[in-house]
Structure formats: C-alpha cells, structure tokens
Amino acid sequence: MQMASRAQAGENIDRRGSMWILDQKLDQPMEEEAKRLRNMYKEKKFSALLVLQLAFQSLGVVYGDLGTSPLYVFYNTFSDRIEDPEDLIGALSLIIYSLSLVPLLKYVFIVCRANDNGQGGTFALYSLLCRHANIKIIPNQEETDEDLTTYSRSVFPEQSFAARTKRWLEGNAFKKNALLVLVLIGSCMVIGDGILTPAISVLSAVGGINVGHTVISNDIVVLVAVVIIVGLFSMQHFGTDKVGWLFAPVVLVWFILIGGIGIFNIWRYDSSVLKAFSPVYIYRYFKRGGRGSWTSLGGIMLSITGTEALFADLSHFPVSSIQIAFTVIVFPCLLLSYSGQAAYLLKNPDNVVGAFYHSIPDSIYWPVFLVATGAAVVASQATISATFSLVKQALALGCFPRVKIIHTSKRFHNQIYIPDINWILMILCIAVTVGFKNQTQIGNASGTAVVIVMLVTTLLMTLIMILVWRCHWIIVLIFTGLSLVVECTYFSAVLLKVNQGGWVPLVIAAAFYIIMYVWHYGTAKRYETELHSKVSMAWILGLGPSLGLVRVPGIGLVYSELASGVPHIFSHFITNLPALHSVVVFVCVKYLPVHKVPEEERFLVKRIGPKSFHMFRCVARYGYQDHHKKDTDFEKKLFDSLYLFIRLESLMEGCSDSDVSSLLGEETVQSDNTLVKCNDNTPHSNLGNTVSSSDSIVLVNSLSHTNNRISEIEMDELEFLNNCRDIGVVHILGNTVVKARRDSKFYKRIAIDHIYAFLRKICRENSAIFNVPQESLLNVGQILYV
C-alpha cells in the first residue's frame, strides 16, 4: 500500500516509527565510517606521557583558585592576633582534615567520576539525572532521542531501591520542580563565586605591597586590584587557549614556592606544628574556644574554596590527570604551606594579618609577590571560565536567556567567551572590591557561596549514586551522612557571618535565580501552550493538497519548538496570508540532556500528510556542549537529509516482503555511506513510512545498485524539490508575545508580563541564534496567553 493512501486514511504521522536518522557523511569510505562509528564514543585511552602532560596543564586551569587560598585563610580565621598556640594547632588540624575529606576524598576521587561524558558542574549532574528519570519539566523529549549514542542510561529491576527512588522522584511535579530549584541555587552560587574569587584573590595578592610598607594606603591597594581586575576581564575575549601554556608554569612555580617556603618555615620556626595531623586537636579546639572556635570555621572554610570550580572545569581534562595533579602536587604543597605559616605564627602571633607575606624570607619576597599576583589572576580565570561553561549549559537546558556565545579556540570546543556575562561579572566584581576594601568581609561572602554549592552537589550526588551508579543504600548513606556532617557544620558557621559580608552571595544568587527560574518558567509555559494548541492532523488533511491557499514556488522553513505535530503558528500564518510555498518544512531545533549529539545522528526527518502536500518535519538535535552556530552549512545538511529521506522512502515502498526480510536480516548493506537506523520489529506493511529506532543498522546499497527500485514519482519529487530550492528558501520564525491570562494570580502576572517579557526583549532573537539571513527572514507575530 502506498504511503499517500495511508496518510489520507489518517494514520498517526507522529509515531516514533516514522522518523529516519540520517547520516550526512556521504563522502567517506564505508569501512572508515563504520570504524569511526564503532569507536566514536568509547572511553579515550591516554598514554602515560599524555596523562602527565594534561595533569601539568590542569594546574593552570583547575587548581588556581584552590592554590591561592593560603593567601588569606589564617587572616580570615583569626581577627588580630592568636591568643593561645593551641588554637593555631587546632585550626591547622581543621584545615588538614578539611582538605583531606572534601577536595581529596569527596571531589577528586568520587564526584569527578560522576561527570557526564567528561562534563562537570551542577547542570551536568542534572542532565545525567534527566536521562535516568523523567524529571525534565519541558516535555520536548521523544523515544527516538534515547537511541542516541551519547544517551546512556541505566536499567534496573522494578523492585530495586533505585526503581523505587525513580518512581518517587517522578511522582509529582512538585518534586521535579524542587530538584530544578536546587540545581538553580547551586548554579547561581557558582556564578556568585565567579564574582567573589577574583575580588578576594587579587586583593589578597596585591595586599602584599602593604606588608612592611605602611606608608602605602589601603586605597592604593584597592586601586591596583581594580586595575588588575579590569585587565583580567578585558582579556577574556582572547580565550584561555591563547595563554593556557602560560598559566600552568605560573601555578606550578607557585605551588613549588609555597611548598618550599612551608618546609623552610617548619624547619626554621617550630616543627611541633606537625602534631596537628592528629584529629585530637580539633576536639580540643572546639572545647576550649566554644562559640568563637565555631565562628572561626568561616575562615577555615576558605581553605577549600575552588573545589567547586575544580568540578565545573572538568571538561578540559580527563579525570586521571585531575587526580594525579592534585595528589602529587596540589595536596602536599598546600599542606606544607599551611603548616609553614602555622609554624611562623607560633613564634610571631601578632603578624596574623598578612601572615603569608610575613612568613616569606626577605631574600625572595618580591619574586614571590609577583608570582602570587600571577597565580591570583590564574585563580580568577578558573572561576570565570567555570561561570561561562555553566551559563552555556543553563542556556541549552532552557534555564537562561539567549546570549551571544563565542568559541575562542578551534582546538578546544569547550573554551568559550560570553561578552554579556563577562562585563556583568566585571562590574559586580569591582563593586565588591571597592565596596568592602578588605579581605575579611569578601572572605565571609565567598565561604557562604562555596558551602551552599557543596551542599547542592552532595544532594545531587546522592541521587546519582542511587539512579546512575546503583550503589547499595548503605554506601549512599555513608557518603551522604559524612558529607552533610562536614558541610552542615561549615554552613552553620557561615550563617553567623551573614551580616558581615555573607549576604553578598545571597543577594547575587537571588538576582540570578529570579532570572533563571522565571526564564525557565516562561519557556515551559509557552511550550505547554503551543503543545496544547497545535493543529490537528484531521484539519490539515481536510484542507487538501493546496491547503486552501495558492502554493507559490519555493521552500518555506517554518521554525518551531514543537518536535511533533503542526504548530499553531502555521494555522495563524495560513489564515492571514493568501499564499504558501510549494514545499513546507517544519524545523525544530531542540537541546537534549546530553553533552553532545554526533553529527551523523543530528537530524530526524519525517513526512507530514500525503506526498501531494509536500510537507515535512526536520528535528535538529543538540547537546548542551554543542554549538548551533557552528553549523554554517545547516541549511545544506537539512536538505541533504530531506533528499535522502525521499530516496529511502521510495526504496522501502518498492521492496517486496521478501526483499524487506532480506534487508532486515542483513547486518549491513553498502550504499552511499548513508546511515539509516531501522526498527527490526516494525511490521512490513508499515515500512513505507517507518524507518527508525536503534535495533539494527542498515546501510543502503549504492544508487547504481538500487536505481531499479526508485520510482518515477520519487525522481519527480526530488526534481521538484531542487527546482523549489533554486527559486528560493524563506525562513519563517514566530515572533511570539507571551502574556499571562487575566485570571492569573498576581505573582504569575509579574513573572510573565514584566520579568519574562523584559528578558525576551533584551535577549538575542531567534534569527541570530539560528543564523538566518535577514534577506530571507519572515517573522509571524502571535500572542499566547499562558
């Protein structure tokens, strides 16, 4: 039976089986393509030399923030002087075990393993969870998306603990929304840390000028810090690739210096500080100091700042390189540095302000000062890059307004620059530096942001261990319990300093949270409204081949966020205009909770209605690390997919049942090296409009071998499409105005009519995102009430 007659009979054209996954690699030999597909997303095997090289490079990108903490930890822990030497030993013991439990044990060896194909950060964890449970609020996923090579997910027994947790999480919209809120809070705190880290790192490093030179006022120090901050943010458009090889040597020299100075100070002043490795002194510290010792945890907390950036910057390096760099260089050098400062302070308790610079031998003071300033800049770069990566992930998952993203490196796709975010961060960073003028209050603010990010990571990791890793509940309980005990202890301490600067990240995070949540809320409501108001297939079929209009030569590409069905904007378009293009293609560009979609699995093509309608749908799928603007030949790839769809559709219709059985029984049949995924269990009678799924791969024979199977109708349709394409292609975009219904509650009207409307007005237009040439752009306006 022919496909046209089936469509006219009103069969469901949106079913999964009507989609074809098309490969655009038509010019590669079949053997090379097959080999490439087999090895595409297997885990990369790095040589020992390459792992060491990447471990060296990771020092400059990942560990700058964590490595500069010795500049200000003791200064923020003790206000003026150290009254009791035992307090110093207790604080050092807390620092040692904080570094051991949080960065080393939790992040480097556990959390880093929870990466999403090498991508880190809170949104990467959220994407990983979205693939293993139905928790995504915007329902734009389809079953065919699960067939992607990069769409990995675990399957577990129905009665298992993981299955029960999954059902509980999917139980109602409140739990899904609560999880999204948790992710947004953690992400906003990372952005806040991206503002605070440059301020405290640069200010602490430049503060070395004032040590021993009291004639230089604090205002001069602040001014120099502001100049460095402006220069730092002004250089971001060059990208980290341009200075990447400079960063790593600076940070390596920095770690060697602070480690060496630490050894020297331990030998010179007091080696008894090494008894701080005994946890007994932590108990004595709290017992002796009471509330004062508890409050000082806010300063000790700064010794593990940068740990959250470590995970967010994970995409640049393999986990093994991160682990080697931390265990071999970063961890021992930090322990030596803190121990050396403690040894110096035991003999000089009044020099707690600027303790790091006071402990430097005079002969190497200025070289260390210059290296410290360079390391502070590198530390700032790490958190800024992490903020850029997070914003890009949030944008792809519908949680951030559309902003311009620039890829700064052709070699490293993950290195990006976002101008709007960069200048906002710079302005806020300067405001924090000038507003506080001292490290103490900025340190309190930074500690608040870091501990909240860690709490969010712990809660997300609990779900990862249950749903993704399928760990035993006892292991999950041990990990979650230990993490919460440490982090809640620090959190209770930083809460006591909210009025001493700790309110800053809360205000910054609240502002970004409102932006991100309202944008996601408005986007979800708009999608739901468009989904419910889409045009029925019966209405389309009732219009006939001409759709009740004059069909003019040319091709119209109608962009919509709907991955299935005919969008409402189409009915709005044809009821207000008397003509329509001879060929209509509904284009949906959607992002999935995966880090990347392989190029050969990018497009899904299907036919809408009978052949005489000349209507198609093309879904272009992207991951949150993909860049749509990189597809400069997007239109060409789209039409290649469309042409191939028509050839294969005609081929399947021309096959007899025995031919189909032969095709489906074969593993591969060579063709124009065009990969088509085909469902083994599809009934033969439906093959005319069914070629999809993941069960088998059929490589269709070369055109010279299948010419006898391609009908004249198919050749006529290809010629017709080529002629229409030569005449012209028009890109039709919806210019939708979203408004709240009149009976909506006041907070919904504020969110939709004011905040969401303002964000849509200032963000980038769809035409810029889709690379649509202005001379072939047609905007169709409509109002949606949500």
Side-chain angles (χ1 to χ4, degrees):
M1 184 179 294
Q2 294 301 310
M3 185 179 181
S5 62
R6 283 196 302 272
Q8 289 169 347
E11 287 194 6
N12 181 12
I13 55 99
D14 289 333
R15 60 187 157 185
R16 175 185 179 191
S18 61
M19 291 191 174
W20 290 4
I21 301 176
L22 306 174
D23 178 14
Q24 301 302 311
K25 305 291 184 179
L26 300 178
D27 55 346
Q28 296 183 5
M30 180 223 165
E31 293 80 4
E32 293 182 6
E33 179 68 5
K35 182 179 179 181
R36 187 182 64 83
L37 289 173
R38 286 195 301 268
N39 299 321
M40 184 181 302
Y41 284 99
K42 290 182 179 179
E43 183 179 359
K44 293 181 179 179
K45 302 298 181 182
F46 296 95
S47 65
L49 183 62
L50 181 58
V51 168
L52 293 177
Q53 177 185 336
L54 293 174
F56 167 71
Q57 294 179 10
S58 70
L59 292 173
V61 177
V62 177
Y63 293 113
D65 189 7
L66 193 63
T68 54
S69 296
L71 288 170
Y72 45 78
V73 169
F74 282 114
Y75 171 69
N76 284 272
T77 303
F78 302 100
S79 54
D80 295 318
R81 72 184 310 275
I82 300 170
E83 302 293 340
D84 190 339
E86 289 294 310
D87 289 342
L88 184 62
I89 300 298
L92 177 60
S93 186
L94 277 169
I95 292 172
I96 291 172
Y97 283 96
S98 295
L99 285 170
S100 301
L101 291 175
V102 181
L104 179 65
L105 182 61
K106 178 186 174 182
Y107 274 86
V108 173
F109 287 105
I110 298 178
V111 175
C112 283
R113 291 183 59 244
N115 61 85
D116 184 15
N117 287 281
Q119 308 299 317
T122 51
F123 272 106
L125 294 178
Y126 181 65
S127 299
L128 201 57
L129 290 172
C130 286
R131 296 206 301 272
H132 290 79
N134 184 22
I135 58 176
K136 193 176 181 183
I137 296 178
I138 300 179
N140 66 342
Q141 280 187 231
E142 295 180 318
E143 291 183 18
T144 48
D145 297 332
E146 299 177 9
D147 297 332
L148 287 171
T149 309
T150 52
Y151 201 102
S152 58
R153 61 187 306 175
S154 301
V155 180
F156 27 76
E158 285 296 321
Q159 300 304 318
S160 63
F161 181 59
R164 293 196 300 271
T165 304
K166 179 176 179 291
R167 288 193 294 270
W168 175 82
L169 198 59
E170 297 173 347
N172 54 57
F174 174 78
K175 295 171 185 175
K176 298 179 183 179
N177 199 57
L179 184 61
L180 176 65
V181 168
L182 185 69
V183 172
L184 292 182
I185 290 174
S187 303
C188 293
M189 287 299 172
V190 172
I191 296 175
D193 191 40
I195 296 169
L196 297 170
T197 295
I200 189 172
S201 298
V202 175
L203 192 60
S204 300
V206 177
I209 300 177
N210 229 356
V211 176
H213 302 80
T214 54
V215 294
I216 301 178
S217 67
N218 190 57
D219 292 338
I220 300 297
V221 174
V222 173
L223 179 62
V224 174
V226 169
V227 171
I228 294 176
I229 289 172
V230 171
L232 170 66
F233 282 97
S234 299
M235 293 189 298
Q236 290 301 311
H237 69 278
F238 292 110
T240 56
D241 187 37
K242 301 291 190 302
V243 289
W245 281 102
L246 176 64
F247 282 0
V250 169
V251 178
L252 179 61
V253 171
W254 167 252
F255 278 118
I256 293 174
L257 282 175
I258 63 174
I261 293 172
I263 294 174
F264 174 79
N265 287 334
I266 293 171
W267 170 78
R268 179 180 180 182
Y269 293 106
D270 195 342
S271 61
S272 66
V273 294
L274 297 179
K275 63 185 179 181
F277 281 86
S278 171
V280 173
Y281 290 93
I282 297 177
Y283 168 75
R284 295 179 180 176
Y285 180 68
F286 286 118
K287 182 180 180 179
R288 182 175 51 256
R291 180 184 173 86
S293 297
W294 196 269
T295 305
S296 69
L297 286 175
I300 295 173
M301 172 72 200
L302 297 178
S303 64
I304 54 178
T305 56
T307 307
E308 72 291 344
L310 178 156
F311 183 50
D313 285 325
L314 190 63
S315 60
H316 297 88
F317 306 97
V319 175
S320 56
S321 297
I322 298 288
Q323 294 172 339
I324 290 174
F326 188 84
T327 54
V328 175
I329 298 177
V330 178
F331 184 65
C333 288
L334 286 176
L335 294 183
L336 290 171
S337 177
Y338 287 118
S339 300
Q341 286 188 57
Y344 170 81
L345 290 174
L346 283 176
K347 302 298 183 183
N348 304 275
D350 295 330
N351 287 342
V352 67
V353 178
F356 174 80
Y357 285 109
H358 281 297
S359 67
I360 300 174
D362 292 338
S363 58
I364 59 171
Y365 180 85
W366 289 111
V368 174
F369 170 77
L370 294 176
V371 175
T373 304
V377 172
V378 175
S380 305
Q381 178 64 51
T383 55
I384 295 169
S385 299
T387 302
F388 290 162
S389 298
L390 184 144
V391 169
K392 185 180 187 301
Q393 294 176 8
L395 189 151
L397 295 174
C399 296
F400 205 86
R402 297 183 297 269
V403 292
K404 184 177 182 180
I405 298 176
I406 300 173
H407 286 253
T408 58
S409 173
K410 294 181 179 179
R411 295 173 55 204
F412 306 105
H413 185 63
N414 293 326
Q415 295 185 4
I416 60 174
Y417 167 65
I418 305 178
D420 298 333
I421 300 300
N422 182 69
W423 302 124
I424 291 174
L425 292 180
M426 186 190 75
I427 293 171
L428 293 177
C429 185
I430 292 175
V432 169
T433 304
V434 175
F436 287 127
K437 296 183 179 181
N438 68 81
Q439 306 166 29
T440 303
Q441 289 184 313
I442 301 178
N444 295 337
S446 180
T448 304
V450 170
V451 72
I452 292 177
V453 174
M454 290 181 177
L455 283 169
V456 170
T457 303
T458 297
L459 296 177
L460 292 177
M461 276 299 301
T462 302
L463 294 175
I464 292 289
M465 295 178 76
I466 296 172
L467 297 178
V468 182
W469 292 352
R470 290 178 289 174
C471 296
H472 195 278
W473 66 269
I474 294 179
I475 298 177
V476 177
L477 184 63
I478 293 173
F479 170 82
T480 306
L482 288 176
S483 298
L484 289 180
V485 165
V486 174
E487 291 158 8
C488 288
T489 301
Y490 278 121
F491 184 63
S492 63
V494 298
L495 284 179
L496 299 176
K497 296 188 176 183
V498 169
N499 63 338
Q500 302 174 32
W503 56 270
V504 173
L506 300 179
V507 172
I508 295 172
F512 277 96
Y513 173 79
I514 291 173
I515 292 173
M516 296 172 76
Y517 186 81
V518 169
W519 181 265
H520 184 272
Y521 177 77
T523 302
K525 288 297 181 183
R526 179 163 60 90
Y527 185 88
E528 290 175 6
T529 304
E530 291 184 352
L531 187 64
H532 294 149
S533 61
K534 65 182 180 181
V535 180
S536 67
M537 202 49 218
W539 185 77
I540 293 290
L541 293 173
L543 294 176
S546 67
L547 299 177
L549 303 169
V550 176
R551 302 294 292 267
V552 297
I555 297 179
L557 301 181
V558 182
Y559 289 82
S560 168
E561 294 186 5
L562 293 182
S564 63
V566 179
H568 177 264
I569 191 175
F570 179 71
S571 64
H572 182 68
F573 177 78
I574 64 177
T575 53
N576 286 276
L577 290 177
L580 185 67
H581 298 90
S582 300
V583 178
V584 177
V585 181
F586 295 98
V587 181
C588 171
V589 178
K590 70 174 182 178
Y591 286 87
L592 301 175
V594 296
H595 76 292
K596 186 179 285 293
V597 175
E599 195 66 38
E600 60 277 353
E601 299 180 61
R602 177 84 66 208
F603 295 97
L604 294 174
V605 180
K606 65 191 291 188
R607 185 186 293 276
I608 297 180
K611 286 187 176 180
S612 56
F613 279 48
H614 299 300
M615 295 174 64
F616 305 89
R617 175 182 308 286
C618 180
V619 180
R621 304 175 296 181
Y622 292 84
Y624 55 81
Q625 285 295 335
D626 285 324
H627 186 37
H628 177 61
K629 196 170 184 178
K630 188 180 178 183
D631 288 337
T632 53
D633 55 344
F634 176 80
E635 185 178 309
K636 177 183 179 299
K637 294 178 181 178
L638 188 151
F639 283 113
D640 287 344
S641 303
L642 186 58
Y643 296 154
L644 186 57
F645 171 85
I646 294 172
R647 294 191 186 102
L648 297 175
E649 178 187 58
S650 180
L651 169 66
M652 287 302 189
E653 288 179 349
C655 289
S656 64
D657 286 352
S658 59
D659 293 331
V660 171
S661 299
S662 175
L663 274 175
L664 293 179
E666 295 176 358
E667 181 180 356
T668 58
V669 182
Q670 187 170 353
S671 137
D672 291 341
N673 298 329
T674 300
L675 178 65
V676 180
K677 290 194 175 179
C678 178
N679 196 342
D680 278 345
N681 52 23
T682 303
H684 296 172
S685 60
N686 288 336
L687 281 174
N689 66 344
T690 301
V691 185
S692 76
S693 166
S694 60
D695 296 331
S696 64
I697 294 179
V698 179
L699 294 177
V700 186
N701 223 337
S702 61
L703 287 179
S704 60
H705 182 70
T706 58
N707 278 338
N708 58 334
R709 299 188 180 185
I710 301 179
S711 65
E712 293 181 2
I713 297 177
E714 175 255 324
M715 294 300 294
D716 290 341
E717 187 169 20
L718 286 178
E719 184 178 356
F720 178 74
L721 285 175
N722 277 320
N723 291 336
C724 291
R725 185 182 178 186
D726 292 338
I727 291 173
V729 178
V730 176
H731 300 259
I732 303 172
L733 273 70
N735 188 8
T736 306
V737 177
V738 181
K739 292 185 177 181
R741 294 189 180 95
R742 292 183 179 180
D743 57 347
S744 300
K745 296 181 180 180
F746 77 95
Y747 57 82
K748 182 178 180 179
R749 293 199 299 270
I750 293 175
I752 298 296
D753 294 342
H754 299 283
I755 302 178
Y756 184 68
F758 174 74
L759 293 175
R760 282 178 60 86
K761 186 178 296 184
I762 64 173
C763 74
R764 301 188 79 202
E765 296 182 352
N766 279 328
S767 58
I769 299 295
F770 295 147
N771 267 342
V772 176
Q774 292 295 317
E775 61 272 13
S776 60
L777 173 64
L778 176 61
N779 277 313
V780 179
Q782 66 172 345
I783 298 178
L784 288 180
Y785 290 93
V786 300

